[in-house]
C-alpha cells in the first residue's frame, strides 16, 4: 500500500459516497486508475464494506450503555451460547472478549433504562453469568469509525 492508497482510504472513511472522479482529483490520479485501486483495496480486504452511519439521536437510541460481563464458565459451549444470544439482540452493537478482571465488554445503544433492563433480562434468562456490571454513558467525548492508517 502506498501513500495514494492511504489517501483513498482516508477519504473513503470520511465519505464513502464520494464520486470516483472527485476522489481521483483529491489523490492525484486519473479516474480509471483510482477506480482500479479501490477495486484492489476491496479485493485485498482492506475495504471490508461500505455503510451508512446513522444518527442515533434521530433514531431514538441516544443512550449508550457499556456492560461488563464476568463468567465462571469458560467452555466453548458457553461461549457459543453467549455469541448466539448477543447476535440476536440488535441493541448490542459491539462485543469484545477481554483479558483481566472482566471477561466480556458489550456496548449497547438504547432509548431508555427500561429498554436496557429488558435487554439485561433477556441476556440473564438465556445465559448464566457470574457478574454483570452496567455503565451508562453521560457524554460521548470521541466517536469515530475511522481506522488510523499510519501503521498500514
Amino acid at each position: 500500500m502506498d501513500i495514494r492508497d492511504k489517501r483513498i482510504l482516508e477519504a473513503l472513511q470520511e465519505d464513502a459516497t464520494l464520486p470516483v472522479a472527485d476522489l481521483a482529483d483529491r489523490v492525484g490520479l486519473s479516474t480509471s486508475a483510482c477506480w482500479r485501486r479501490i477495486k484492489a483495496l476491496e479485493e485485498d480486504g482492506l475495504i471490508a464494506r461500505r455503510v451508512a452511519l446513522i444518527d442515533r439521536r434521530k433514531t431514538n437510541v441516544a443512550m449508550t450503555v457499556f456492560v461488563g460481563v464476568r463468567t465462571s464458565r469458560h467452555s466453548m459451549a458457553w461461549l457459543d451460547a453467549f455469541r448466539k444470544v448477543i447476535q440476536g439482540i440488535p441493541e448490542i452493537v459491539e462485543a469484545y472478549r477481554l483479558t483481566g478482571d472482566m471477561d466480556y465488554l458489550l456496548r449497547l445503544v438504547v432509548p431508555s433504562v427500561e429498554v436496557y433492563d429488558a435487554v439485561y433480562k433477556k441476556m440473564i434468562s438465556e445465559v448464566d453469568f457470574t457478574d454483570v456490571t452496567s455503565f451508562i454513558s453521560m457524554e460521548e467525548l470521541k466517536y469515530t469509525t475511522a481506522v488510523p492508517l499510519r501503521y498500514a
Side-chain angles (χ1 to χ4, degrees):
M1 180 181 344
D2 65 14
I3 190 67
R4 287 191 173 138
D5 290 334
K6 288 181 182 181
R7 287 183 183 151
I8 289 169
L9 292 172
E10 286 170 350
L12 290 175
Q13 285 188 110
E14 283 180 32
D15 183 1
T17 67
L18 273 175
V20 176
D22 293 349
L23 185 56
D25 285 344
R26 276 194 192 188
V27 299
L29 290 169
S30 70
T31 301
S32 59
C34 186
W35 182 84
R36 282 193 301 273
R37 283 181 181 247
I38 292 168
K39 289 299 169 197
L41 291 166
E42 290 173 339
E43 289 170 8
D44 290 344
L46 286 160
I47 298 175
R49 60 187 174 172
R50 299 185 203 193
V51 299
L53 300 177
I54 307 299
D55 186 318
R56 292 182 303 107
R57 285 164 184 75
K58 291 183 179 178
T59 56
N60 195 34
V61 287
M63 180 181 286
T64 299
V65 182
F66 295 94
V67 178
V69 172
R70 280 190 229 158
T71 181
S72 59
R73 299 184 57 201
H74 296 279
S75 68
M76 286 306 296
W78 186 92
L79 180 56
D80 290 342
F82 181 59
R83 279 188 177 150
K84 183 177 179 184
V85 168
I86 63 175
Q87 290 299 323
I89 301 173
E91 292 84 359
I92 300 173
V93 295
E94 294 181 70
Y96 302 93
R97 188 167 54 93
L98 307 174
T99 62
D101 291 336
M102 199 67 59
D103 294 312
Y104 300 91
L105 180 66
L106 311 176
R107 184 171 74 90
L108 289 76
V109 293
V110 294
S112 65
V113 171
E114 293 79 15
V115 172
Y116 166 64
D117 189 45
V119 170
Y120 168 82
K121 288 174 182 173
K122 178 175 178 49
M123 286 191 329
I124 65 170
S125 72
E126 296 188 30
V127 183
D128 291 326
F129 301 111
T130 301
D131 183 48
V132 177
T133 305
S134 303
F135 306 91
I136 296 174
S137 172
M138 294 173 42
E139 179 182 7
E140 185 175 278
L141 300 176
K142 179 179 180 180
Y143 174 80
T144 183
T145 62
V147 173
L149 297 171
R150 66 176 159 207
Y151 307 105

